[in-house]
Amino acid sequence: VMRVLARGNWMDDSGEVVQASYPGFLADESDPDEVPSRLDLANWMTSSGNPLTARTFVNRLWKQLFGSGLVRTLGDFGTQGSRPSHPALLDWLAADFVEHGWDIKRLQTMIISSAAYLQSSVNRQRYHEIDPANRFLARAPRFRLSAEEVRDGALSISGLFNPAIGGPSVYPYQPANYLSSIGKGWKESNDGALYRRGLYTFWRRTMLYPTFQIFDAPSREFCSVNRPRTNTPLQALVTLNDPTFVEAARVFGQRILSEGGAHDEDRLAFAFTAATSRPPKPAEFAVLRDTLAEQRAEYAADRAAAGQLIENGKAPTPEGIDPAELAAWTALANILLNLDETITRE
C-alpha cells in the first residue's frame, strides 16, 4: 500500500492511499475500472502513442556504437536537453525499430553495416573548422572501449572468451580478502566461468571490481546514464599486470604458436592482425621482430622468470612447450593487448 507522504515522511501512514496509475499529464490508455498492472505499464511505454521509449533506446545504442548519441544528453530529451544532430535520422530509426518488432539485433546490424559506421577514423582536418566535434560524422569517431569491453576483448583475442548467456555472477581473479573490510569473502570462479563476459562479474555496490573501476565503470550507488571516459596510467598498469590480462597474454601466446604458422614472420603478422584487425605496417613489423628477439634473449638467460610468467592463470599450458619460447611470445602478446589500437574503437 502506497500513501501520500506528509512532507516526504515515509513513516507517516496517515496519508491518502494512492492507486497505481500513469502520470496525469501523459496519455492514459488503461481501463478505468481496473488497477493497472506492470504489464499495462510495459504496454503503455511501448505503445504507438509514446514514441519516447523507442527514440531513447535508439539514441543509447547509437551512443554505444559511435561514442556519443544523436542527442548528447542521453537522460534528457526535454527542452533542457541538447538538440539531435540528425533529427530526421533519429525519427526514422525509432520508427523502423518499432515497425520491425523492436528487434535489437536487426537495428544494431543495420547501423554497423552503414557507410557512416564503416568510415575510417583518420582525421584529415577537412571539416575541422565547421565541425570540430565531428557531430556530422565526416569520419568515424574514435573512443576507448568500455570497461567490460576491454576485458572481453582481451579474452576474445586470446581464445579464452566464454560466450555463455545467463547464470550466476562470476568472481574473476582478486585477492581472497578483497572484501574483508565488510566481512565478505571472494571465492574465485573456476573452469570456464572465469572467462565469461564482464556483464556477469560480481558487483557489490560501492566496492566494484577494481579493473572496471579504473576503466570508468560506475559504482552503481545511483543510476549512471552516461559513463565518463578518462585516460590514465593506471589503465595501462591494469592491461599489463592484472592476472586476467597476463593470463590472456599467455594463452594468446599459445594460440600464436599453434595457429600462427611455422615461421616468426607468419606468427608476428597473425598476432598483430588478431589484436588490431589489420596487418602490421613495415615499421611496426620491424618493432615486433626486434621486441621478440629481445624477449627471447632475456628469457633464455633467465628460465626461472620464464617459468614464473607462464604459470599465471588457471588455463592449462600445453605439455612439451619450451618455457622460454612461450614466455617470449607471452610478453609480445601482452604488449599487443595493451596497444591503444586494441582497446580503442578506430
Side-chain angles (χ1 to χ4, degrees):
V1 176
M2 298 300 298
R3 298 178 179 272
V4 175
L5 302 180
R7 300 181 64 84
N9 182 6
W10 59 273
M11 298 182 68
D12 185 347
D13 60 0
S14 63
E16 178 187 354
V17 174
V18 179
Q19 299 294 341
S21 186
Y22 303 95
F25 65 92
L26 296 176
D28 186 347
E29 300 178 3
S30 62
D31 186 336
D33 297 327
E34 295 184 6
V35 177
S37 65
R38 291 187 177 184
L39 178 59
D40 293 319
L41 175 62
N43 289 331
W44 173 75
M45 289 179 63
T46 57
S47 70
S48 58
N50 178 22
L52 186 60
T53 303
R55 286 166 58 87
T56 301
F57 184 88
V58 165
N59 190 58
R60 293 197 181 191
L61 181 60
W62 189 275
K63 189 267 181 187
Q64 185 175 353
L65 297 174
F66 284 88
S68 63
L70 294 170
V71 176
R72 280 192 162 177
T73 51
L74 300 186
D76 190 349
F77 269 56
T79 57
Q80 297 191 39
S82 63
R83 294 180 59 83
S85 58
H86 301 72
L89 175 60
L90 179 62
D91 289 342
W92 185 87
L93 286 172
D96 182 79
F97 182 44
V98 174
E99 289 171 2
H100 288 87
W102 302 78
D103 189 335
I104 299 173
K105 184 176 291 187
R106 177 188 173 279
L107 173 65
Q108 181 164 316
T109 300
M110 180 171 60
I111 294 176
I112 65 176
S113 60
S114 66
Y117 186 83
L118 296 175
Q119 293 182 104
S120 168
S121 62
V122 176
N123 186 0
R124 297 183 174 85
Q125 303 292 326
R126 288 181 297 181
Y127 305 104
H128 182 70
E129 292 186 3
I130 61 175
D131 185 22
N134 192 38
R135 290 294 287 154
F136 298 110
L137 300 176
R139 55 182 169 82
R142 187 178 184 276
F143 55 90
R144 200 205 66 231
L145 302 179
S146 67
E148 294 88 345
E149 290 169 334
V150 170
R151 176 180 176 274
D152 293 353
L155 295 177
S156 180
I157 293 169
S158 69
L160 282 171
F161 184 67
N162 179 358
I165 297 175
S169 297
V170 176
Y171 293 78
Y173 298 114
Q174 271 309 301
N177 61 351
Y178 169 54
L179 297 178
S180 61
S181 62
I182 57 173
K184 303 291 184 179
W186 185 275
K187 186 177 180 180
E188 286 180 2
S189 300
N190 292 306
D191 303 323
L194 263 176
Y195 313 116
R196 299 187 64 202
R197 65 191 70 206
L199 172 69
Y200 298 113
T201 299
F202 178 80
W203 202 304
R204 185 172 294 277
R205 197 180 307 171
T206 75
M207 295 191 69
L208 64 160
Y209 184 47
T211 295
F212 291 170
Q213 182 178 19
I214 291 172
F215 278 98
D216 305 315
S219 65
R220 297 190 181 179
E221 294 176 79
F222 49 85
C223 178
S224 178
V225 177
N226 196 6
R227 293 187 185 185
R229 280 194 178 93
T230 63
N231 289 287
T232 72
L234 287 176
Q235 293 165 356
L237 291 175
V238 167
T239 51
L240 285 171
N241 299 291
D242 184 279
T244 297
F245 289 88
V246 176
E247 180 185 30
R250 190 255 299 174
V251 177
F252 187 23
Q254 295 169 193
R255 182 185 172 203
I256 296 168
L257 290 172
S258 63
E259 302 177 25
H263 305 288
D264 286 349
E265 290 76 9
D266 297 331
R267 290 172 174 173
L268 289 171
F270 170 84
F272 191 89
T273 303
T276 66
S277 300
R278 67 171 178 85
K281 299 175 183 177
E284 294 166 335
F285 190 89
V287 172
L288 292 173
R289 186 181 58 237
D290 293 344
T291 301
L292 178 63
E294 292 173 1
Q295 297 301 316
R296 271 183 175 150
E298 180 176 335
Y299 286 114
D302 190 351
R303 301 187 73 83
Q308 186 177 13
L309 176 61
I310 65 174
E311 287 177 356
N312 279 279
K314 297 181 178 180
T317 303
E319 296 182 1
I321 194 167
D322 180 10
E325 182 71 2
L326 177 56
W329 284 103
T330 298
L332 184 76
N334 199 7
I335 293 172
L336 292 175
L337 293 179
N338 192 59
L339 289 178
D340 178 71
E341 192 170 343
T342 304
I343 64 173
T344 302
R345 191 273 189 213
E346 294 285 348

